[in-house]
Amino acid sequence: MRLRKKFVAAVSSAVLAAAVLAGCSPDSSSTASDSTGTSGTTAAVVAATVDGTQSAAAVLAANTTVHTAGSSSADGAVEITLSGSSASSSSADGVTIDGSTITITAAGTYRISGDLTDGQVVVNAPDATVTLILDDATISSSTTAAIAATEAGQLVVVLADGSTNTLSDTSAYAGDADVNAALFSAGDLTVTGSGTLTVTGNGNDGIASKDGLLIESGTVTVTAADDGIRGKDYVVVNGGTITVTAGGDGIKADNEEDADAGFIAVADGTIAVTAGGDGLDAATDVVETGGTITVSAGGGHTAKVADDASAKGVKSGVITVLEGGTATVDAADDAVHSDGAVHFAGATVSVASGDDGVHAEGAQVIDGGSVEVTAAVEGLEAAAFVLNSGDVHVVSSDDGINGAGGSSTSDDQGGGFGGGPGGGEDVGDYSVTVNGGTLVIDAGGDGLDSNGTAAITGGTVVVNGPEGDGNGALDVNGTFTISGGTLLAAGSAGMVVTPDSSSEQGWLSATLDSAVEAGTTIQIVDADGAVVASYVTSKSVQNVVFSSSAVTSGESYTVYVGGTASGGSTGGLAASGSLGSATKAVTVTAGEAPAGGFGRR
C-alpha cells in the first residue's frame, strides 16, 4: 500500500515513525493482496484517517488548482502545411523547419494541416503558451513522438471543427527517454475543439503530460502499448468523447510526491476504457461529478490476474468520490478500489469483479445514488461500511457486505472473512452500519458479515444468504444491534446469527424443520393473525431472521409456508401477503435465538 502524504498529515508522529520503519511504499502496481504484511497495522491506521464522507468539492478544493485552458482562437494563426517528408510555414517567426522536423519556439497559435509521413512537431518555447490547431493533420514518426512539447508552460491542442487528425509514434523508446508518448508535453496540456483525434502510442503511452492534463472537448481515440492517457499532476475531463485501449493503465495520474496532485476528475463527457492494467489509476483521488465512465480492466471479471499485476477498474490512493454521472466497471481485480476511502454520493454505479466489487481499506460510505454489484467474490468490503441512503444490490459468490480488512481472492470462496459462527471469532476494529436506504444481498457465502460490529438503525436490508451450512445470512463477530428499519435475512441453518437481545427493536429467528425450495412464499404472522412479513425465496432456505417495528420482543410469531405475496417486492420481501392455504411451520418467541444457533448474548 502506498503511504500518501495526504494520509501522513492526519496521523501522529508515532504512526509516521512506524510507517517509515515498516517501509510501507511498494510501487503503484501493487495489488490488494500486497497491502497486507508487516506494515498492515500501520496501513490500516493510516487508511482510517481518510474522511469517507468528503464531498467532491471538498476533495478537489484540497488539491492543486487545475490550469485554465489557453486560447483556442484561430485569429492570427501561423499556417503550417505538411507535405510528406517536408513542411512549409506562412511565417518564419517562431517556426523552424529542418527536413521533416518542425520546431516552434515562440508563444502563439499555429494551424497544422496535411500529412507528415515520418517526422515530428517539436515545441521548444519555455514558459510560453503554444496553441496547435490540428486541421486534418496526420503526423507519424518512426523514431520518437509525433508531437513533443519539450519546453512549454502550456500546450493547447485544438481539434478544428469537422477535422480528422491522426498521431502515431515510434515502436520503441529508450528506457530513460523523457519524451515517451505519441502526444507529449513537459508542461500543462489541454485538448479541446470539436474535431476528432486518433492517437496511437506504439512504443509506450498515447497522450502524456508531465504536469496537468485537461480535456475539454473533442472526440479522442487512444491506443497505447502502455498507458493510454497520463497526466502526472492530474487528468481532468470536462467533456468530449474519449475512447482508450491500453496495454497498461487506461487513464493515469501518477504524482506520488505531492499530496495535492496525482488525481483524476471527471465532470462531463463520455469515457470508455479497455485496459490490460488498471482502468483509472490515481495516486491520490478519483472524483466523478458527471459524465459517463465505462471501464473494462484485465479482461473483465471472468479473467485471472497474475500475482504481480494489477487490473482494477477504478483505483485511488486516497479517496474515490462518485457523486454524479454513471460508472460501469468490469474488472478482473477489484472493480473500485481505494487504499483509503470510497464515497458514493449520488452516482449510478454498476460493477462486476473477479475479486471485490468495491474495496476500501478505510471507510466506504453510501450517501445516495445506486450501487449494483452484478458479480464478485466479495461484494462491498471496507473496514467501516456505512449505508445512509441510496439503493444497493449485491450479488457475490462469497460475502455480500464485509466489514473487514485486507483482501480476498477467488480461492477464498466459502471461507472469506469471518466465515464461522458469529461471536465465536476475534472482534476486530471493523463495522457495518445501515442507517437508511435499501440494501439487497444475494450471497453464496455470508450475506452481511462484520469481523467487528454491526448496527441497523433504519432502511431496508434483505439478505438472500447461502444454501450451504458453512456460512450464514448474517455473521457478526462483535455486537450486533438493531434499533430501526427492516431486516429480512434468509439462508441456511448451520451458522445462524441474530441481533443482540438488548436491541431496541424486536426481532425473531425461525428455523424450519427442513429447507424450502426457491420460489416458496414464507409468511410471518403475529399472535392476532396479522401478516407482518411476506417473503418469496430466491434459493433454498431453512432459517429466517426478521426485524421491523411490527415485532415486539417476548411476543409469539408463527411462520407459515405458502399463501400469496402481493404488492411491490424488495429482494423478495413483499409489501403485503395473505395466508390462504398456507401451512404452519414453526412458532417462535421474538428475541430468542433458535436452538443450536449462534444467537447474540
Side-chain angles (χ1 to χ4, degrees):
M1 174 181 172
R2 292 167 298 172
L3 185 61
R4 300 294 303 135
K5 290 182 179 179
K6 192 173 289 186
F7 284 165
V8 174
V11 298
S12 68
S13 58
V15 172
L16 177 57
V20 172
L21 290 173
C24 178
S25 57
D27 66 39
S28 59
S29 66
S30 298
T31 64
S33 60
D34 297 326
S35 66
T36 58
T38 57
S39 61
T41 300
T42 299
V45 171
V46 171
T49 68
V50 181
D51 179 4
T53 67
Q54 293 178 84
S55 67
V59 171
L60 294 176
N63 285 333
T64 188
T65 302
V66 176
H67 72 269
T68 301
S71 174
S72 59
S73 172
D75 294 345
V78 174
E79 302 289 337
I80 297 175
T81 303
L82 311 177
S83 303
S85 59
S86 62
S88 60
S89 172
S90 64
S91 172
D93 294 337
V95 180
T96 300
I97 299 174
D98 183 7
S100 60
T101 301
I102 300 96
T103 303
I104 296 170
T105 57
T109 301
Y110 304 82
R111 184 192 301 273
I112 301 175
S113 59
D115 295 349
L116 192 63
T117 55
D118 189 7
Q120 183 186 37
V121 174
V122 177
V123 175
N124 187 358
D127 301 322
T129 296
V130 174
T131 299
L132 303 182
I133 300 175
L134 301 185
D135 193 354
D136 289 328
T138 297
I139 304 171
S140 63
S141 175
S142 62
T143 58
T144 185
I147 296 177
T150 56
E151 293 283 350
Q154 181 184 169
L155 174 66
V156 181
V157 176
V158 180
L159 310 178
D161 294 350
S163 68
T164 299
N165 308 282
T166 303
L167 306 176
S168 61
D169 65 354
T170 180
S171 60
Y173 290 94
D176 59 352
D178 189 43
V179 175
N180 56 6
L183 171 56
F184 173 87
S185 178
D188 291 330
L189 172 61
T190 299
V191 178
T192 187
S194 61
T196 66
L197 174 64
T198 300
V199 178
T200 303
N202 295 300
N204 194 53
D205 299 343
I207 300 175
S209 166
K210 295 190 73 174
D211 284 337
L213 199 162
L214 172 64
I215 300 178
E216 292 280 10
S217 57
T219 299
V220 180
T221 302
V222 178
T223 303
D226 192 14
D227 301 333
I229 297 174
R230 177 171 54 85
K232 182 177 181 180
D233 289 347
Y234 52 81
V235 176
V236 173
V237 178
N238 290 331
T241 300
I242 302 164
T243 304
V244 177
T245 303
D249 299 334
I251 298 177
K252 186 170 188 172
D254 57 356
N255 186 334
E256 298 185 352
E257 302 302 321
D258 299 319
D260 59 353
F263 63 93
I264 297 171
V266 179
D268 204 351
T270 301
I271 299 172
V273 174
T274 302
D278 301 321
L280 274 62
D281 181 8
T284 55
D285 313 319
V286 174
V287 176
E288 182 188 16
T289 56
T292 300
I293 299 173
T294 304
V295 174
S296 175
H301 69 279
T302 61
K304 183 73 173 178
V305 184
D307 291 341
D308 60 347
S310 178
K312 296 174 174 63
V314 176
K315 183 170 75 173
S316 66
V318 176
I319 188 169
T320 294
V321 180
L322 302 179
E323 193 170 281
T326 64
T328 304
V329 181
D330 186 6
D333 205 335
D334 298 346
V336 178
H337 176 99
S338 179
D339 289 346
V342 176
H343 188 195
F344 297 100
T348 299
V349 180
S350 178
V351 303
S353 168
D355 197 355
D356 297 346
V358 180
H359 180 100
E361 292 288 338
Q364 184 176 151
V365 181
I366 303 176
D367 279 324
S370 65
V371 179
E372 182 178 22
V373 179
T374 60
V377 178
E378 304 271 342
L380 304 177
E381 181 176 80
F385 173 86
V386 181
L387 171 60
N388 292 318
S389 64
D391 296 318
V392 181
H393 188 184
V394 176
V395 176
S396 64
S397 60
D398 197 1
D399 299 345
I401 304 295
N402 197 9
S407 66
S408 61
T409 68
S410 57
D411 296 331
D412 295 327
Q413 296 181 39
F417 292 89
E425 295 188 342
D426 292 339
V427 179
D429 190 15
Y430 308 113
S431 61
V432 173
T433 306
V434 179
N435 297 316
T438 301
L439 172 60
V440 176
I441 300 170
D442 182 351
D446 297 325
L448 189 154
D449 184 0
S450 176
N451 287 4
T453 63
I456 299 174
T457 68
T460 300
V461 178
V462 178
V463 180
N464 297 288
E467 295 179 297
D469 284 339
N471 290 284
L474 303 169
D475 182 9
V476 181
N477 290 7
T479 59
F480 177 19
T481 61
I482 184 163
S483 58
T486 300
L487 168 67
L488 187 293
S492 59
M495 294 288 184
V496 175
V497 168
T498 67
D500 289 4
S501 58
S502 61
S503 293
E504 294 179 21
Q505 180 167 285
W507 56 266
L508 62 89
S509 177
T511 297
L512 309 179
D513 289 338
S514 60
V516 297
E517 298 179 348
T520 301
T521 299
I522 295 176
Q523 314 271 6
I524 301 174
V525 179
D526 66 14
D528 296 326
V531 176
V532 297
S534 183
Y535 170 69
V536 179
T537 65
S538 61
K539 58 181 78 172
S540 174
V541 166
Q542 193 173 2
N543 175 268
V544 176
V545 176
F546 178 73
S547 177
S548 78
S549 59
V551 177
T552 303
S553 294
E555 297 292 322
S556 293
Y557 294 85
T558 301
V559 176
Y560 288 82
V561 175
T564 303
S566 57
S569 174
T570 301
L573 180 61
S576 60
S578 57
L579 290 179
S581 58
T583 302
K584 179 180 176 180
V586 63
T587 297
V588 298
T589 300
E592 295 182 3
F598 294 90
R600 312 309 304 167
R601 295 175 296 276

